[in-house]
Amino acid sequence: MRVLVTGGAGFIGSHVVAQALSGGHEPSVLDNFSTGKRENVPPGVRVFECDLRDREATARAIREARPDVVSHQAAQASVPVSMKDPRLDAEVNLLGGLNLLEACRASQVKHVVFASTGGAIYGEVPEGERADESSPCRPQSPYGIHKLAFEQLLGVYASAYGLKSSVLRYANVYGPRQDPHGEAGVVAIFFNQARAGRPLQIFSRRASKDGGCVRDYTFVADVARANLLAMTGAVPHPLLNVASGQPTTTLELAQQILALTGSTSPLVHAAPRLGDIERSLLASQRFEQTLGTPTPLAVGLAETARYYLEQ
Ligand code: NAD
């Protein structure tokens, strides 16, 4: 199968490319290298250096790549950046996405798999609950709004033009190759700090030293596997949470990372951060029925530790 991965030079996209290769498929990459890196793309994989905001270049790349299926990972992927520059977020995530859909339609691509977000679409998840695929959507940032709008556009392209789509709503993804210098990615930031012996900062959830916000940390290999299965048509659901379903506080995460790296970095508690969702936790039943048990945090962190300790 010919697979085009947009954002294939980025953190998650590069794992989709790697799994596509080892699954015997023929991947290519479309990326503008704004956050992606050339060394993330395996040798021999064709790269279309292209910005999705460029309509003509996007159409040309899809014409040349002739993919059967597109895994759409490219995005302005930061919530804080979307707050500071909502227009940029709309240009990349909405208009760039539309350029991709128009190009897919013109080149008779059969199927698009979309990297959406659970955390930024479901918003605050009350204590004792998990957000499942039918939970209300309460996006609170331009990033979440544009991701949700693009999901809905995919629905229009499916019903009006027969372009099949699968929406994957990721929880908080972590693993090798995540950039510790980006806006998000607390796991990568903590590994980086721990290795350098610098403090790990725990932003409180509400009150001082309360352990911080609760997140659903999901290993990148599970996310790539979900993409591969969706691309081959083996996910029977048009919408799927890609999540572990396990709650972890920032403090618990920091402690596990210190133990894995043998670091003596201090833990520093800080005031709650404006705009942070206190509790984000997704239901993983549908994921488990389709893909089996998600990778436990201890296992995924151990693999991630090996990667950062080798850097
Ligand atoms: P990333 O920044 O590592 O990857 C994004 C890739 O897209 C990069 O290679 C970048 O160069 C490319 N890109 C950005 N703008 C582009 C443009 N205009 N044209 C072409 N390429 C462009 O981020 P990531 O964490 O790997 O995220 C991948 C996808 O998963 C994104 O769609 C993101 O919104 C989504 N997501 C990520 C998480 C997470 O926890 N990392 C959670 C939910 C959803």
Side-chain angles (χ1 to χ4, degrees), residues 203-234:
F203 292 104
S204 303
R205 180 176 168 185
R206 276 186 205 167
S208 172
K209 301 190 181 178
D210 61 5
C213 296
V214 173
R215 292 287 178 270
D216 181 327
Y217 293 102
T218 301
F219 192 45
V220 69
D222 292 346
V223 179
R225 206 155 55 84
N227 271 276
L228 259 291
L229 274 191
M231 287 193 284
T232 53

Side-chain angles (χ1 to χ4, degrees), residues 6-14 29-37 40 48 50-54 58 72-78 91-93 96 114-120 143 147 168-174 177-179 184-185 218 220 223:
T6 74
F11 161 49
I12 298 171
S14 66
V29 164
L30 183 158
D31 206 295
N32 71 348
F33 297 97
S34 52
T35 56
K37 299 189 187 100
N40 284 348
F48 296 89
C50 167
D51 194 310
L52 286 172
R53 289 168 292 184
D54 183 336
T58 301
H72 180 31
Q73 308 292 321
Q76 186 305 103
S78 156
E91 282 167 359
V92 176
N93 293 353
F114 174 50
S116 191
T117 167
Y143 171 78
K147 284 281 184 184
L168 304 178
R169 286 185 180 159
Y170 305 164
N172 280 64
V173 187
Y174 72 94
R177 296 201 281 277
Q178 189 165 29
D179 188 353
T218 301
V220 69
V223 179

Side-chain angles (χ1 to χ4, degrees), residues 37 52 58 73 128 134 150 176 187 198-199 211 224 238 247-248 265 269 281:
K37 299 189 187 100
L52 286 172
T58 301
Q73 308 292 321
S134 61
F150 191 75
V187 172
R198 289 192 297 256
T248 305
S265 286
H269 293 269
L281 186 60

Side-chain angles (χ1 to χ4, degrees), residues 124-130 205-206 214 247 278-281:
E124 202 64 62
V125 179
E127 201 63 55
E129 291 181 22
R130 286 177 169 76
R205 180 176 168 185
R206 276 186 205 167
V214 173
E278 287 187 21
R279 190 171 179 278
S280 174
L281 186 60

